[in-house]
Amino acid sequence: MKKREEIDYGNWVSASMMRMWTVTTLVATALCVVCFLLFANGPVATRWIIGGILLILTAGLLLTTVYFGICRSLFSYKGKRRIQSRILDYVLSYLKFDHGSILDIGCGNGALSIKAAKKFPCAAVTGMDYWGSVWNFAKEQCEANAKQEGVLDRVFFREGDAAHLDFPDESFDGAISNFVFHEVKSQSDKRLVVKEALRVVKQNGVFVFHDLFFEKKYYGDPDDFVRQLKAEGVQEIHLVCSNDEKFIPKILKTRFMLGRIGLIYGIK
Ligand SMILES: C[S@@+](CC[C@H](N)C(=O)[O-])C[C@H]1O[C@@H](n2cnc3c(N)ncnc32)[C@H](O)[C@@H]1O
C-alpha cells in the first residue's frame, strides 16, 4: 500500500489506465509474433489474413497507448506543461471571492480545494467526493496533500454524492467544481447535478463550474441551460467555452480526452 505522505494530485489519465493499455498492447504484439511463427510454413493467405488483422489491431492499440501517454505527460504536475494545474488555476480565475466558505464538489485528490485555500487565505474550504474505485483518488491523500501544502487547518474533506449533497440549502459562500458533473452516475440528468450544487450556495454567493457544458448529450443546448438557470433565480450567470483557451494543447481537446468543455460562473 502506497504511503500517503508525499504530495500527489494524481492524473486525469490514471496510472492504472496506462497500465491497462500498455499490457493490452504487449499481449497483442506477442499474439502477432506467435501467429506469424505458427503459420510460418502454412498457407500464405491464412498467415496474412490472421496476421494482418492482428497487426492492424496491435497498431491501433499502440497508437492509443502512445496518445494516452502523451496526454498523461501533458497533464502531469511534474511535467513541463502542467496542464492539470493550469486548468485549475483557470477555473479559480473566474471565482470572484473574498472570504467565507467554499465547497469543492468532486475534489479528487484535493488539488482545486487546496489551490482555493492558498489563493484565498480567508477561506475555509470543504472538498467532497465519493472516492469510488474508478479514480485513484482518496480522502487520506487529500489530507496528506493539504498538510504538505500547509492548509490542513482550513481545508476539510468529506465523503458524499454530488447528486445528493449532504448539506442544507445555502450552506456555502462559494462553490467550485472541475470535470465532475458528467461523471456522476447516480443522476442521469446532469442539469439536476448542477442545480443540486447551486442549492447549497447562499444567496449572493458565487460559483464556478467547469465541465462538458458544450456536450449536448449531457446538458442539451448550453445557452438554453443558462437561460433556464436565470429563469429559476440565478442572479448572474456566464458561459465560457474553454476549448478556445490557447494554453490547452489541441491534442487534449479531442472528444477522446477533454471533449467540448466550458465554464459556467456567476452569482446566485
Ligand atoms: C476527472 S475527476 C476530477 C477530480 C478533481 N475535480 C480534479 O479536477 O482534479 C472526477 C471526479 O469526480 C468524482 N465523482 C464522480 N462521481 C461522483 C459523485 N457521484 N459524487 C462525488 N464525486 C464524484 C470522482 O471520484 C473524481 O474524483
Side-chain angles (χ1 to χ4, degrees), residues 144-158:
N145 290 342
K147 188 173 169 196
Q148 292 291 325
E149 298 272 21
V151 291
L152 190 56
D153 57 331
R154 288 187 296 114
V155 186
F156 316 93
F157 295 100
R158 267 178 68 167

Side-chain angles (χ1 to χ4, degrees), residues 12 84 88 105-108 111 128-132 135 137 160-163 178-180 183-186:
W12 296 333
Q84 261 185 229
L88 300 182
I105 299 159
C107 63
M128 66 76 57
D129 201 293
Y130 87 136
W131 290 300
W135 300 90
F137 298 142
D161 179 1
N178 184 64
F179 297 157
V180 174
E183 293 277 351
V184 173
K185 304 283 181 287
S186 45

